[in-house]
Coordinates of all heavy atoms in Angstrom, one line a residue:
Chain A
Y50 N 3.5 -3.6 2.0 CA 3.6 -3.4 0.5 C 4.0 -2.0 0.3 O 3.2 -1.1 0.3 CB 2.2 -3.7 -0.1 CG 2.0 -3.6 -1.6 CD1 0.8 -4.0 -2.1 CD2 3.0 -3.1 -2.4 CE1 0.5 -3.9 -3.5 CE2 2.7 -3.0 -3.8 CZ 1.5 -3.4 -4.3 OH 1.3 -3.3 -5.7
P51 N 5.3 -1.8 0.1 CA 5.8 -0.4 0.0 C 5.1 0.3 -1.2 O 5.0 -0.2 -2.2 CB 7.3 -0.6 -0.3 CG 7.7 -1.9 0.2 CD 6.4 -2.8 0.0
M53 N 2.0 1.0 -1.7 CA 0.5 0.9 -1.5 C 0.2 1.3 -0.1 O -0.8 2.0 0.2 CB 0.0 -0.5 -1.8 CG -1.5 -0.6 -1.6 SD -2.2 -2.1 -2.1 CE -3.8 -2.0 -1.4
Chain B
M1 N 3.8 -6.9 -17.2 CA 3.2 -6.5 -16.0 C 4.1 -7.0 -14.8 O 4.9 -7.9 -15.0 CB 1.8 -7.1 -15.8 CG 1.8 -8.6 -15.7 SD 0.1 -9.2 -15.4 CE -0.5 -9.1 -17.0
T2 N 3.9 -6.4 -13.7 CA 4.6 -6.8 -12.5 C 3.6 -7.5 -11.6 O 2.5 -7.0 -11.4 CB 5.2 -5.6 -11.7 OG1 6.0 -4.9 -12.6 CG2 6.0 -6.0 -10.5
V3 N 4.0 -8.7 -11.1 CA 3.1 -9.4 -10.1 C 3.8 -9.6 -8.8 O 5.0 -10.0 -8.8 CB 2.7 -10.8 -10.7 CG1 1.6 -11.4 -9.8 CG2 2.2 -10.6 -12.1
L4 N 3.2 -9.2 -7.7 CA 3.8 -9.2 -6.4 C 3.0 -10.1 -5.5 O 1.8 -10.2 -5.6 CB 3.8 -7.8 -5.8 CG 4.5 -6.7 -6.6 CD1 4.3 -5.3 -6.0 CD2 6.0 -7.0 -6.8
Y5 N 3.8 -10.8 -4.6 CA 3.1 -11.7 -3.6 C 3.6 -11.3 -2.2 O 4.8 -11.0 -2.0 CB 3.6 -13.1 -3.9 CG 3.4 -13.5 -5.4 CD1 4.5 -13.5 -6.2 CD2 2.2 -13.8 -5.9 CE1 4.4 -13.7 -7.6 CE2 2.0 -14.1 -7.3 CZ 3.2 -14.1 -8.1 OH 3.0 -14.3 -9.4
F6 N 2.7 -11.4 -1.2 CA 3.0 -11.0 0.1 C 2.6 -12.0 1.1 O 1.7 -12.8 0.9 CB 2.3 -9.6 0.5 CG 2.9 -8.5 -0.3 CD1 2.3 -8.1 -1.5 CD2 4.1 -7.8 0.1 CE1 2.8 -7.0 -2.2 CE2 4.6 -6.8 -0.6 CZ 4.0 -6.4 -1.8
A9 N 1.4 -16.0 1.1 CA 1.5 -16.3 -0.4 C 2.9 -16.3 -0.9 O 3.4 -17.2 -1.6 CB 0.6 -15.3 -1.1
R10 N 3.6 -15.2 -0.5 CA 5.0 -15.1 -0.9 C 5.9 -16.3 -0.3 O 6.7 -16.8 -1.1 CB 5.6 -13.8 -0.3 CG 7.1 -13.6 -0.4 CD 7.6 -12.4 0.3 NE 7.2 -12.3 1.7 CZ 7.7 -13.0 2.7 NH1 8.7 -13.9 2.4 NH2 7.3 -12.8 3.9
L13 N 5.0 -19.6 -2.1 CA 5.4 -19.6 -3.5 C 7.0 -19.5 -3.7 O 7.5 -19.8 -4.7 CB 4.8 -18.5 -4.3 CG 3.2 -18.5 -4.4 CD1 2.7 -17.2 -4.9 CD2 2.8 -19.7 -5.2
V15 N 8.6 -16.7 -3.9 CA 9.0 -15.6 -4.7 C 8.2 -14.4 -4.3 O 7.0 -14.5 -3.9 CB 8.7 -15.9 -6.2 CG1 7.3 -16.3 -6.4 CG2 9.1 -14.8 -7.1
S16 N 8.9 -13.2 -4.2 CA 8.1 -12.0 -3.8 C 7.6 -11.2 -5.0 O 6.7 -10.4 -4.8 CB 9.1 -11.1 -2.9 OG 10.2 -10.8 -3.7
G17 N 8.1 -11.5 -6.2 CA 7.5 -10.8 -7.3 C 8.2 -11.2 -8.6 O 9.2 -11.9 -8.6
E18 N 7.6 -10.9 -9.7 CA 8.1 -11.3 -11.0 C 7.5 -10.4 -12.1 O 6.5 -9.7 -11.9 CB 7.8 -12.8 -11.3 CG 6.3 -13.0 -11.4 CD 5.9 -14.5 -11.6 OE1 6.5 -15.1 -12.4 OE2 5.1 -15.0 -10.8
R19 N 8.2 -10.3 -13.2 CA 7.7 -9.6 -14.4 C 7.1 -10.6 -15.4 O 7.8 -11.6 -15.6 CB 8.8 -8.8 -15.0 CG 9.2 -7.6 -14.1 CD 10.0 -6.5 -14.9 NE 9.2 -6.0 -16.0 CZ 8.3 -4.9 -15.8 NH1 8.2 -4.4 -14.7 NH2 7.6 -4.5 -16.9
L32 N -6.0 -14.0 -14.1 CA -4.5 -14.1 -13.9 C -4.3 -15.2 -12.7 O -3.4 -16.0 -12.8 CB -3.9 -12.8 -13.5 CG -2.4 -12.8 -13.1 CD1 -1.6 -13.3 -14.3 CD2 -2.0 -11.4 -12.6
L36 N -2.1 -18.5 -13.1 CA -1.0 -18.9 -12.2 C -1.2 -20.2 -11.5 O -0.3 -20.9 -11.2 CB -0.8 -17.7 -11.1 CG -0.4 -16.4 -11.7 CD1 -0.5 -15.3 -10.6 CD2 1.1 -16.5 -12.2
F47 N -3.6 -20.5 -5.1 CA -4.6 -19.8 -5.9 C -5.9 -20.6 -6.1 O -6.8 -20.1 -6.8 CB -4.0 -19.4 -7.3 CG -3.1 -18.3 -7.2 CD1 -1.7 -18.5 -7.2 CD2 -3.5 -17.0 -7.0 CE1 -0.8 -17.5 -7.1 CE2 -2.6 -15.9 -6.9 CZ -1.2 -16.2 -6.9
R54 N -6.6 -11.6 -1.2 CA -7.1 -10.4 -1.6 C -6.2 -9.9 -2.8 O -5.1 -10.5 -2.9 CB -7.1 -9.3 -0.5 CG -8.0 -9.7 0.7 CD -9.4 -9.6 0.4 NE -10.3 -10.0 1.5 CZ -10.7 -11.2 1.8 NH1 -10.3 -12.2 1.0 NH2 -11.4 -11.4 2.9
T55 N -6.6 -8.9 -3.5 CA -5.8 -8.5 -4.6 C -5.8 -7.0 -4.8 O -6.8 -6.3 -4.4 CB -6.3 -9.2 -5.9 OG1 -5.4 -8.8 -7.0 CG2 -7.7 -8.8 -6.3
A56 N -4.8 -6.4 -5.4 CA -4.7 -5.0 -5.7 C -4.2 -4.8 -7.1 O -3.3 -5.6 -7.6 CB -3.8 -4.3 -4.7
Q59 N -1.7 -0.7 -6.9 CA -1.7 -0.3 -5.5 C -3.0 0.1 -4.9 O -3.1 0.9 -4.0 CB -0.6 0.7 -5.2 CG 0.7 0.3 -5.8 CD 1.9 1.1 -5.3 OE1 1.7 2.2 -4.8 NE2 3.1 0.7 -5.5
D72 N 0.2 -3.1 -15.9 CA -0.3 -3.0 -14.5 C 0.7 -3.6 -13.5 O 1.4 -4.5 -13.8 CB -1.7 -3.6 -14.4 CG -2.7 -2.7 -15.0 OD1 -2.5 -1.5 -15.2 OD2 -3.8 -3.3 -15.3
E73 N 0.5 -3.2 -12.2 CA 1.2 -3.8 -11.1 C 0.1 -4.6 -10.3 O -0.8 -3.9 -9.8 CB 1.9 -2.8 -10.2 CG 2.6 -3.4 -9.0 CD 3.3 -2.3 -8.2 OE1 4.2 -1.7 -8.7 OE2 2.9 -2.1 -7.0
I74 N 0.2 -5.9 -10.3 CA -0.8 -6.7 -9.7 C -0.2 -7.3 -8.4 O 0.9 -7.8 -8.4 CB -1.3 -7.9 -10.5 CG1 -1.3 -7.5 -12.0 CG2 -2.5 -8.5 -10.0 CD1 -2.4 -6.6 -12.4
A75 N -1.0 -7.3 -7.3 CA -0.5 -7.9 -6.1 C -1.5 -8.9 -5.5 O -2.7 -8.7 -5.6 CB -0.2 -6.9 -5.0
F76 N -1.0 -10.0 -5.0 CA -1.9 -11.0 -4.3 C -1.4 -11.1 -2.9 O -0.2 -11.2 -2.6 CB -1.7 -12.4 -5.0 CG -2.3 -12.4 -6.4 CD1 -1.4 -12.3 -7.5 CD2 -3.6 -12.4 -6.7 CE1 -1.8 -12.3 -8.8 CE2 -4.1 -12.4 -8.0 CZ -3.2 -12.4 -9.0
F77 N -2.3 -11.1 -1.9 CA -2.0 -11.2 -0.5 C -3.2 -11.6 0.3 O -4.3 -11.5 -0.1 CB -1.5 -9.8 0.0 CG -2.3 -8.6 -0.5 CD1 -3.5 -8.3 0.1 CD2 -1.8 -7.8 -1.5 CE1 -4.2 -7.2 -0.3 CE2 -2.6 -6.7 -2.0 CZ -3.8 -6.4 -1.3

Side-chain angles (χ1 to χ4, degrees):
Chain A
Y50 180 172
M53 180 170 171
Chain B
M1 64 174 79
T2 304
V3 188
L4 304 172
Y5 312 98
F6 292 96
R10 168 185 57 72
L13 298 170
V15 57
S16 58
E18 58 185 313
R19 292 198 58 88
L32 179 62
L36 293 170
F47 287 101
R54 299 292 180 268
T55 184
Q59 308 190 347
D72 287 340
E73 178 176 299
I74 322 290
F76 296 103
F77 45 77

